[in-house]
Structure formats: C-alpha cells, structure tokens
C-alpha cells in the first residue's frame, strides 16, 4: 500500500507546477494559451522523471502507477479550480 501512496505523492509535484503556471499566466496575460500548452509538457516531464526516479523503490509497480494515475486525476480537479479563480482576477 505504500507504493500507492508513493505514486499519489506526485500530486504535490503537479500542484506546484499548476501554481507556477497560474503565476506565469497572471504575469504574462498575452501569452496564456502558450503557457497553458506548455503546462502539459511540464506535467508530462515531471511525471516521467518522478516515475523513473522512484520506480526502483517500489515493490508493486502496478500500485505505484495507480497512485500516479489518481494523482493526475486529482490534479486535474485542482487545475480547474485554480484556473477558475485565476479567471476572476483577469
């Protein structure tokens, strides 16, 4: 079960990437579409590196990947809330 938690811990990485993107979107308002598109690349790169770095420490890879999948789903919900709050500030 700790493998699932280790995979789900990637949620905190995704939240930090989302917060960085929100700050960049507020600062550079004329480049929002490019920054949002780059967020997909940042998320992918972060998850691949996270999975590659921590995979040797897991016993059950399927639980680890399942935790990462749940983290991606939860981060999508967080992204929706963050971008709706950001839209009010624009």
């Amino acid at each position: 079960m700790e493998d699932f938690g280790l995979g789900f811990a990637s949620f905190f990485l995704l939240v930090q990437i989302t917060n960085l993107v929100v700050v960049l979107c507020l600062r550079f308002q004329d480049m929002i579409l490019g920054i949002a598109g780059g967020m997909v690349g940042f998320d992918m790169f972060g998850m691949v590196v996270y999975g590659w770095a921590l995979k040797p420490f897991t016993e059950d890879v399927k639980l680890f990947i399942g935790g990462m999948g749940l983290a991606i789903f939860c981060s999508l919900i967080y992204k929706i809330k963050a971008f709706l709050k950001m839209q009010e500030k624009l």
Side-chain angles (χ1 to χ4, degrees):
M1 198 62 178
E2 60 269 356
D3 295 335
F4 184 79
L6 191 62
F8 186 72
S10 63
F11 173 71
F12 300 112
L13 172 69
L14 294 174
V15 166
Q16 295 302 318
I17 292 172
T18 301
N19 290 337
L20 174 67
V21 168
V22 166
V23 168
L24 289 175
C25 286
L26 288 173
R27 182 170 171 115
F28 303 106
Q29 294 180 5
D30 55 337
M31 299 182 196
I32 287 179
L33 291 177
I35 294 171
M39 178 183 61
V40 174
F42 288 138
D43 284 344
M44 182 190 69
F45 179 74
M47 291 300 283
V48 167
V49 169
Y50 184 87
W52 176 77
L54 294 181
K55 189 176 177 181
F57 300 106
T58 62
E59 295 175 6
D60 190 359
V61 177
K62 288 184 180 181
L63 279 175
F64 179 65
I65 299 298
M68 289 179 68
L70 184 61
I72 291 170
F73 178 73
C74 292
S75 74
L76 288 175
I77 294 171
Y78 178 79
K79 287 177 198 298
I80 291 169
K81 290 181 181 179
F83 283 119
L84 287 176
K85 286 181 185 177
M86 181 193 71
Q87 189 176 9
E88 293 173 359
K89 293 180 182 179
L90 293 178

